[in-house]
Amino acid sequence: MNRAAPVPVLTIDGPSGSGKGTVSRLVAERLGWRMLDSGALYRAIGYAAGMADLDLSDAEAMTRCAQTTKIRFHPSADGHDTHIFVNGHDATDELRTETAGAAASAIASIPSVRQALVELQLSFRKAPGLVADGRDMGTVIFPDAPFKVFLTASAAERARRRHKQLKEKGLKVTLTDLQREIEARDARDASRTVAPLKPAPDAVLLDTTGMPIEDVVANVLTVVQR
Ligand code: DC
């Protein structure tokens, strides 16, 4: 008997500012596949915890928060952006800030919070395919993914990219502060014991320092089309 082939997944992992978000969106558009922005889930839990005035270091409270927070992704009217609703509130702008990133990184080191988000992440795997962006997509959530990429870039370049993105969104932050925050966040994400930021053994490594986004997209597409 012939079993149906599993839905293909392309995992794109890497540190903050490596271009994962933009590249994942463009690659998903080209392939006509769905997208999972797993970082947004951790950001959403951090945001919900903040709204409820909970202590981010309280593992039990964070786990309950991860189990009960309702997160919905909605395409914007023009179809080029996604709005993220947390417990019914459009939190898209709040979730983009570095404060939200730092809160997400802190709670993401709690194993039971990560566990609470597994089912939701797996539910994104639907035909015709999924592009999943995060830190542990290729190592923990979709270890059987046929296509895996790990993006890197120098810390200075990643800070510059994030700075440009935040400025375009009207958020004020200095480049020096941003580079320091990004380095601290990456160090925490890479050194945690559960699902640390690291390439899967079978991932294609791509250093995007100085590489135009279109070239990064083309390189990632060759991994899928190989
Ligand atoms: O990709 P991002 O910057 O939106 O992620 C925010 C934080 O969430 C990141 O610093 C670590 C955490 N995260 C994680 O631990 N695992 C993922 N798969 C995605 C994000």
Side-chain angles (χ1 to χ4, degrees), residues 4-23:
V7 173
V9 180
L10 163 65
T11 61
I12 304 186
D13 289 306
S16 33
S18 56
K20 284 176 296 131
T22 313
V23 171

Side-chain angles (χ1 to χ4, degrees), residues 21-145:
T22 313
V23 171
S24 300
R25 187 171 47 75
L26 292 171
V27 169
E29 265 174 33
R30 300 279 169 88
L31 294 170
W33 289 6
R34 286 162 60 100
M35 217 199 118
L36 165 62
D37 170 4
S38 61
L41 303 180
Y42 292 95
R43 286 171 185 258
I45 305 305
Y47 171 80
M51 292 301 277
D53 228 356
L54 300 175
D55 173 2
L56 294 184
S57 63
D58 180 340
E60 242 175 67
M62 287 311 106
T63 306
R64 255 194 321 273
C65 186
Q67 287 164 341
T68 54
T69 300
K70 303 261 177 302
I71 308 167
R72 279 188 303 122
F73 293 86
H74 257 294
S76 61
D78 64 7
H80 289 300
D81 210 355
T82 301
H83 283 255
I84 305 165
F85 288 78
V86 182
N87 291 330
H89 170 75
D90 185 348
T92 315
D93 292 337
E94 289 98 324
L95 296 192
R96 285 191 177 120
T97 63
E98 273 310 295
T99 315
S105 170
I107 60 164
S109 64
I110 303 171
S112 44
V113 166
R114 305 196 70 84
Q115 190 54 41
L117 294 175
V118 170
E119 279 300 309
L120 176 60
Q121 294 178 84
L122 294 177
S123 73
F124 280 74
R125 188 172 190 170
K126 295 219 172 87
L130 175 69
V131 178
D133 129 30
R135 305 291 185 292
D136 63 340
M137 297 295 97
T139 49
V140 176
I141 304 296
F142 301 108
D144 66 327

